[in-house]
Amino acid sequence: MGSSVRELAEKTPAGRDRYIDLLRVASLGTVVIGHWLMAAVTVGDDGRTEVGNLLAVVPDLQILTWVLQIMPVFFFVGGFSHALSYRSLSRKAPERVSVYSAFLRARLQRLLRPTMVFTGVWGAAALLLQLIGEGGALLDVTLRLVAQPLWFIGIYLAMVAFTPPLLRLHERYGWGAFGGLVLAAGAVDAARFAFGVPYVEFLNFAFVWLAVHQLGFLRADGRLRAPSALAGAGLVGAALLVAFGPYPLSMVGMPGERVSNMAPPTFALLCHGMWLVGAVELLRGPATRWLARPRVWRGVVTANGISMTAFLWHLTAMLGVYGMLLALDVRLPEPASMAWWAQVPLRMAAAGVLTGVLVAAFRRFERPGAAGELRLTPGPASGPAAAVGVTLCLFGVLGLSMVGFGGLLEGRTAMLVAVRVTAPVAVGMALAGWLLVERAGRSLSPTPPLPELSGSAGRGGR
């Protein structure tokens, strides 16, 4: 892989926005490190294993989530990339080509292939373990937890699906489209907290994340000209909402909390996203100069080629390390104790090594297709089929993130919106949706110029 990475790095177009690629890698890497650091595994006197959160043990550390809750940056980067990708396809497409279906297939290929492999491996392992009667201790917790990061992929799928209509709104109204989503998110929270309207809060899964995604459209057109104002407004807004409103300090979910800023997202989380986007934009100049160094850029290219695989498997690695410690009868100290902190570097290093092994095994499923130019050929209208497909993928992946891999034979269920789903049903929906998107968008032959999660980052403006 080393020679191909060097070749790709050397062929990078002069106008490519390398900072966007760095932000993609850095945001996923921050999530991985945060999960490794915050996991607090304990074994009770009855032998029961629990995975808690360090932030719940030491509430004073929750302020760290105002930096470590970095997912808004990833969705911002997604908006930037999606705008450029859709416009590029629209310019190249001949008549009678469904640009929407081609766009979905191009964006979902690199995302869903490693996800489906991860799902297949863990699903088969969970079924085998249940058939042979293995369970208990850390294993049951692992089967439940390893699927939880899939929520992010489900939300990302929704952003891909909504890109064309929201991009049209952006092109017509600019900042007004973003402002409309902000107002909608605020109205949802007002209805939720001031008037007690039931279930309305779930609308903010769309309004909050799509508003951050819309900032990526503005970045793609070079219209984020006052990042300090955006960062300041977001930071002040989040601070005031936490200080005087019903919002918790933590920007990630905490066990037992009555209100979470994450699930469903709140207006405070949207302000947090604005603060982060403004902050990373302020760093663009020095970071871009740093990325001009060949060795640094090769590192970013390499990381982009394995980022989704590492993200999918990092909890497997972390829980595997804890499993090995328990198997070796290594005592797990009380979370946040001196002994616990002393173990942190060793546990994280071991998790990094094991993640590297898993990446080596599965990274080929994240590689782009064969080289060549984008070829768009006329065909029957396939936009509706692609829309159905991405919807099935979205609900399948979200459902699996909620139900996990445990209790496959017992029909364990989780509530997805208003419907109960099992893991097999969720996997079936995701696979059927993926096949629909592939079939609908086969007039496209995508060849991303650099390895990355969601396609070419392209240029930073018109």
Side-chain angles (χ1 to χ4, degrees):
M1 187 174 180
S3 60
S4 62
V5 167
R6 181 181 293 273
E7 194 174 312
L8 285 166
E10 291 173 351
K11 291 181 178 179
T12 301
R16 185 181 180 90
D17 194 327
R18 300 184 180 195
Y19 187 45
I20 288 292
D21 296 282
L22 175 64
L23 289 179
R24 180 182 293 109
V25 171
S27 56
L28 285 179
T30 301
V31 171
V32 169
I33 292 172
H35 284 167
W36 287 348
L37 177 62
M38 299 305 170
V41 177
T42 57
V43 180
D45 295 334
D46 58 355
R48 185 181 178 87
T49 304
E50 296 288 345
V51 180
N53 192 318
L54 176 65
L55 300 178
V57 179
V58 189
D60 288 346
L61 293 178
Q62 291 180 15
I63 191 63
L64 294 177
T65 63
W66 289 46
V67 177
L68 295 178
Q69 171 47 293
I70 202 75
M71 291 316 294
V73 173
F74 190 90
F75 294 141
F76 161 69
V77 167
F80 176 91
S81 298
H82 296 160
L84 296 176
S85 176
Y86 188 78
R87 286 168 172 169
S88 176
L89 286 174
S90 298
R91 287 193 300 268
K92 296 175 182 177
E95 292 184 7
R96 297 188 299 111
V97 166
S98 172
V99 176
Y100 184 65
S101 59
F103 169 75
L104 288 182
R105 182 172 184 254
R107 307 310 286 177
L108 266 56
Q109 271 197 330
R110 295 284 309 282
L111 186 70
L112 286 180
R113 277 189 300 177
T115 301
M116 291 298 105
V117 170
F118 170 83
T119 299
V121 170
W122 260 114
L127 184 60
L128 177 62
L129 289 167
Q130 191 166 358
L131 287 173
I132 64 178
E134 289 293 327
L138 189 61
L139 185 56
D140 293 340
V141 179
T142 298
L143 292 174
R144 174 170 52 87
L145 288 183
V146 291
Q148 285 189 359
L150 295 178
W151 75 266
F152 141 78
I153 295 174
I155 298 297
Y156 197 81
L157 288 171
M159 293 182 177
V160 174
F162 280 106
T163 288
L166 288 179
L167 187 57
R168 285 192 289 272
L169 283 177
H170 159 75
E171 289 169 345
R172 182 170 182 179
Y173 298 109
W175 277 96
F178 168 74
L181 288 167
V182 171
L183 289 175
V188 165
D189 271 17
R192 174 187 180 184
F193 294 118
F195 302 104
V197 178
Y199 305 116
V200 70
E201 63 267 26
F202 294 104
L203 291 174
N204 267 350
F205 276 111
F207 294 142
V208 168
W209 290 126
L210 288 175
V212 176
H213 190 249
Q214 207 80 6
L215 288 172
F217 295 167
L218 292 161
R219 169 72 158 79
D221 287 347
R223 299 182 66 177
L224 281 181
R225 300 189 185 96
S228 56
L230 183 67
L235 186 59
V236 170
L240 290 174
L241 289 169
V242 169
F244 301 106
Y247 304 96
L249 175 65
S250 175
M251 291 298 162
V252 301
M254 289 288 102
E257 275 193 329
R258 187 180 62 85
V259 175
S260 165
N261 280 320
M262 273 289 294
T266 64
F267 194 73
L269 184 66
L270 175 53
C271 290
H272 170 70
M274 292 166 57
W275 132 249
L276 282 181
V277 169
V280 298
E281 280 296 285
L282 287 171
L283 298 174
R284 190 204 314 185
T288 300
R289 291 189 290 273
W290 181 61
L291 288 166
R293 301 177 183 179
R295 184 175 297 180
V296 173
W297 178 234
R298 284 197 298 270
V300 172
V301 172
T302 301
N304 260 315
I306 60 172
S307 57
M308 177 51 58
T309 305
F311 174 80
L312 286 167
W313 291 98
H314 78 279
L315 283 186
T316 301
M318 181 198 77
L319 292 165
V321 169
Y322 275 108
M324 287 186 283
L325 292 174
L326 292 173
L328 295 171
D329 289 326
V330 176
R331 188 180 70 85
L332 298 181
E334 191 68 22
S337 66
M338 290 296 293
W340 187 90
W341 283 111
Q343 274 191 3
V344 165
L346 297 176
R347 287 198 305 267
M348 293 183 69
V353 170
L354 188 50
T355 300
V357 172
L358 291 167
V359 165
F362 296 109
R363 67 183 180 183
R364 64 184 181 276
F365 299 104
E366 195 176 346
R367 289 175 181 169
E373 294 296 323
L374 287 171
R375 295 188 298 276
L376 287 162
T377 57
S382 51
V388 172
V390 75
T391 301
L392 285 172
C393 284
L394 187 160
F395 283 109
V397 170
L398 284 178
L400 188 58
S401 75
M402 297 172 68
V403 73
F405 294 103
L408 294 180
L409 299 179
E410 286 82 14
R412 179 184 172 190
T413 65
M415 185 66 74
L416 178 63
V417 189
V419 180
R420 288 203 167 273
V421 295
T422 63
V425 168
V427 171
M429 283 195 295
L431 281 173
W434 186 27
L435 291 174
L436 266 177
V437 171
E438 282 287 309
R439 182 180 178 84
R442 275 182 185 158
S443 58
L444 174 71
S445 299
T447 57
L450 287 175
E452 58 179 0
L453 171 62
S454 54
S456 174
R459 295 178 180 268
R462 286 180 169 173

